[in-house]
Amino acid sequence: MTNSTQLKTVLTAERVCKSYGSKGSAQQVLKGIDLKVMEGEFVGIMGPSGSGKTTLLNMLATIDRVTEGNILLHDLEISKMKDAKLSKVRRSHLGFIFQDYNLLDTLTVKENILLPISLTNVSKHQAEEEYNEITGILDIKDLADKYPSEISGGQKQRTSAARALIHSPSIVFADEPTGALDSKAASNLLENLTDINHKRQVTIVMVTHDPAASSYCSRVVFLKDGRIFSELYRGEKKRESFFKEILDMQAVLGGGIQE
């Protein structure tokens, strides 16, 4: 990580509220969230079932719209942006890793990864360089010509991660990326994401219910009842120590951890 005095703010949420339903029977899920994500951070979002963690990720990632408040990507207020402009911002600045991979079965691994930049002005040479670097870190370079049906769940998720990173986004959003993986594949993916976070200073925001997954993060934000309840910073702690702190915080929060 770069020295904190040099870090820039990548993403800012200001008083973000989200309600569903009509005015008379609206359910308020987020109740005034203030959050800043700094360049190069690996931020985990956790909380009991119904705390609003997935809803918050959807707001930050522009998958859904806020009811009140503002979200800024660098200096761009993306929460009020019209759809056409927002689509351009997504293509240029945001990367997404989903639990169910979202790979196209008719494309090879390499074609899936290169898809986000296939319609951009990136040269073939530059695209190839990015592809080689990212797939090297994620250990999937030898899968280039295989199709999604021919690879394991862990390999699919690492392919999904490579696709999210290929266009050098400002921030990558990961929604329960280890949820469909066994423990070994989950550990491999999280170690890969940590390597990319450190080596390429990629900013990552990850929603997870798994304390083992969140122990790889540099900071964990805990939600409860639609508000930020607490935050933990890893600092120089070993992952095992941070894991215990996260478990202790979950005990304080109470309730189920699944959502």
Side-chain angles (χ1 to χ4, degrees), residues 124-134 166 200:
K124 188 174 181 180
H125 175 72
Q126 186 181 345
E128 197 70 23
E129 281 191 340
E130 284 291 300
Y131 171 83
N132 286 331
E133 181 178 347
I134 290 167
I166 194 68
R200 292 172 62 100

Side-chain angles (χ1 to χ4, degrees), residues 38 55 80 97 127 141 147 200 232 243:
M38 310 305 289
T55 301
K80 305 291 194 300
I97 305 172
K141 196 177 286 189
Y147 288 87
R200 292 172 62 100
L232 291 177
F243 173 68

Side-chain angles (χ1 to χ4, degrees), residues 95-220:
F96 302 92
I97 305 172
F98 300 102
Q99 182 176 333
D100 57 0
Y101 320 128
N102 282 8
L103 300 176
L104 297 177
D105 293 333
T106 56
L107 299 183
T108 64
V109 164
K110 187 170 185 178
E111 289 166 343
N112 265 288
I113 292 169
L114 291 173
L115 191 60
I117 56 173
S118 61
L119 300 175
T120 68
N121 295 324
V122 174
S123 69
K124 188 174 181 180
H125 175 72
Q126 186 181 345
E128 197 70 23
E129 281 191 340
E130 284 291 300
Y131 171 83
N132 286 331
E133 181 178 347
I134 290 167
T135 55
I137 295 172
L138 290 165
D139 194 26
I140 53 172
K141 196 177 286 189
D142 60 339
L143 303 178
D145 297 323
K146 292 188 178 292
Y147 288 87
S149 61
E150 300 174 313
I151 61 178
S152 70
Q155 291 168 332
K156 287 177 185 176
Q157 196 57 296
R158 281 181 277 154
T159 300
S160 176
R163 182 187 57 191
L165 293 157
I166 194 68
H167 61 297
S168 300
S170 299
I171 189 165
V172 171
F173 296 99
D175 187 6
E176 298 281 9
T178 61
L181 305 180
D182 62 39
S183 58
K184 184 178 179 182
S187 295
N188 287 342
L189 175 69
L190 290 161
E191 285 166 7
N192 291 151
L193 289 177
T194 302
D195 279 349
I196 284 171
N197 171 247
H198 290 162
K199 291 174 182 175
R200 292 172 62 100
Q201 281 292 289
V202 174
T203 307
I204 304 172
V205 175
M206 175 179 71
V207 160
T208 182
H209 68 271
D210 182 1
S214 62
S215 69
Y216 285 84
C217 298
S218 54
R219 172 167 57 124
V220 182

